[in-house]
Amino acid sequence: MIVESVIALLMFVQGEIKEARLQVDGMAQCLRGKRQAERQYSETVSYKCYKGAAELEDNIDGSKSIKKLIIE
């Protein structure tokens, strides 16, 4: 288990987190992704950038992904 400080783009569907994407290039990348995602408007889907701790896991290709957010 690897716990690190991260910036993530969160997708909420009806107020519940459905997806969390790691943003390795920082907050600017997150805000850019949020802006692009919001161009396809949906009443039940919203996006937010999150800065905090998360439990990460290694993928087969050597990249990392978020396993669990740690919200304090």
Side-chain angles (χ1 to χ4, degrees):
M1 174 175 80
I2 305 166
V3 176
E4 288 185 24
S5 179
V6 298
I7 295 176
L9 178 58
L10 307 180
M11 179 176 77
F12 291 84
V13 178
Q14 297 178 349
E16 190 176 311
I17 298 173
K18 290 295 181 185
E19 188 174 338
R21 292 263 172 135
L22 190 60
Q23 305 295 298
V24 293
D25 292 333
M27 188 59 78
Q29 179 189 15
C30 185
L31 293 170
R32 199 172 316 118
K34 178 181 182 236
R35 201 168 42 250
Q36 288 175 343
E38 287 177 337
R39 287 182 184 153
Q40 287 148 6
Y41 176 76
S42 172
E43 220 173 270
T44 59
V45 179
S46 64
Y47 299 89
K48 290 187 180 167
C49 290
Y50 167 78
K51 184 177 183 180
E55 188 177 310
L56 303 178
E57 62 185 356
D58 293 319
N59 295 324
I60 294 172
D61 64 357
S63 64
K64 294 183 187 227
S65 63
I66 296 173
K67 184 175 181 182
K68 181 170 72 173
L69 293 173
I70 300 171
I71 300 172
E72 298 171 353

